[in-house]
Amino acid sequence: MTDKNQLVRPDLRALEGYHSPQLDVEVRLNTNEAPTPPPDAFGDELAQAITSIEWHRYPDRQATDLRQSIADMHGVDPSQVMVANGSNEVLQTICLTFGGAGRTVATFEPTYAMHGQIARTVQCDVVEGERNDRFELEAGELSRVISESRPAITFLCSPNNPTGTPESLENIELALNEAPGVVVVDEAYGQFAAFTALDLLAKSGGAGSDLPLLVTRTFSKTWSMAGARLGYVIGPAWMITEMENVLLPYHLDTAKQLAGTIALKYRTEMNARVAAIMEERGRISHALSDLGFQVWPSQANFLLFRTTPTGRGGDDVWQALVERSVLVRNCSSWPRLDGCLRVTVGSPDDNDRFLDALADLMEARS
Ligand code: PMP
């Protein structure tokens, strides 16, 4: 009899997937999605466009129109853009191209767990640096990790998931100066932040830049398109060419390319939504502080807070919220995040439901 466990690559056996349990609740604030679908006109335009797809033909391998639209939005050259099925696939392509067996990847914890997870699946050694108790990355720690481990890929995340804290320009410059390899700034939540590493790329010469800097973005948050699975990376043209060699042929289907291109026409609407989410983020943050919770300053579409004032542990509060039909992300068993929960900024009504449920818990305590 085959021992099934022996079939799996030995270094993968200990890995666990990255999942957020989806429960049947009324208020879902656990996966940092946008609270509302794209505008109706987007759906109408896409439905019309889909009728003209030549389904018997492979998609445009270069995703020409979508790349052009993304490039126009960011004021870069299309040769600086690579699009894939969600920014997770972009991150995987980066690890396959610039990482691999015998190479080291640096992360700064707590951060987006998929950086380390994807790196391990392509057999990189992962070295974890630490953030301070404000969840900021100190320059000394960044330098230490880089000089000790000489990473082929240094992952920074701005704003950082799950803490919401932005990265500083100084740290990104320091990483670029000191690291021997590629520096990735994951800006999945970039539109909600005051700062973007894209400015650095532009200053360094755009398409012809020698700077080994890659900035990743997604359609899953601002663009209300988590269901489409679209993400992209912007970098110097030579890095994009290297990554394209690793992508599977025709990895991006025709319907998805159309969906992305059409979505980008609704920029004004999307910007208005980002502004509304940022306003709600401020309101929730104040309300959490008023209830006595420690909450970290966030530049993303979510907030991290600690459940201590309830007198109950993170698991317990998470469960109590579920019982009130409110689902948030339970981070309390993650290293360094004891008692922490992460809440996505939702619609004003959903946010009220969340805050009322917490107020309820606080009242039950007194
Ligand atoms: N990066 C970060 C920091 C994220 O939080 C997420 C989504 N949770 C992703 C990348 C992946 O996004 P997607 O694959 O949906 O584009």
Side-chain angles (χ1 to χ4, degrees), residues 18 31-32 85-89 91 111-112 114-115 157 159-161 186-189 216-221 226 229-232 302 329 342:
Y18 177 79
T31 49
N32 299 342
N85 296 286
S87 55
N88 280 334
E89 191 177 67
L91 297 170
T111 191
Y112 183 45
M114 285 307 293
H115 295 158
C157 193
N160 186 43
N161 180 9
D186 183 337
E187 292 192 355
Y189 305 95
T216 64
R217 293 267 175 127
T218 179
F219 278 66
S220 300
K221 322 292 174 185
R229 310 303 299 124
L230 260 175
Y232 58 97
F302 56 83
R329 191 73 194 256
R342 189 197 69 192

Side-chain angles (χ1 to χ4, degrees), residues 102-140:
R103 293 188 165 205
T104 298
V105 164
T107 65
F108 296 89
E109 303 295 326
T111 191
Y112 183 45
M114 285 307 293
H115 295 158
Q117 170 95 359
I118 294 171
R120 288 184 182 94
T121 60
V122 304
Q123 300 197 315
C124 297
D125 298 318
V126 178
V127 171
E128 295 183 344
E130 298 291 326
R131 290 167 189 271
N132 65 20
D133 56 8
R134 290 189 303 278
F135 292 134
E136 293 158 352
L137 172 54
E138 290 179 6

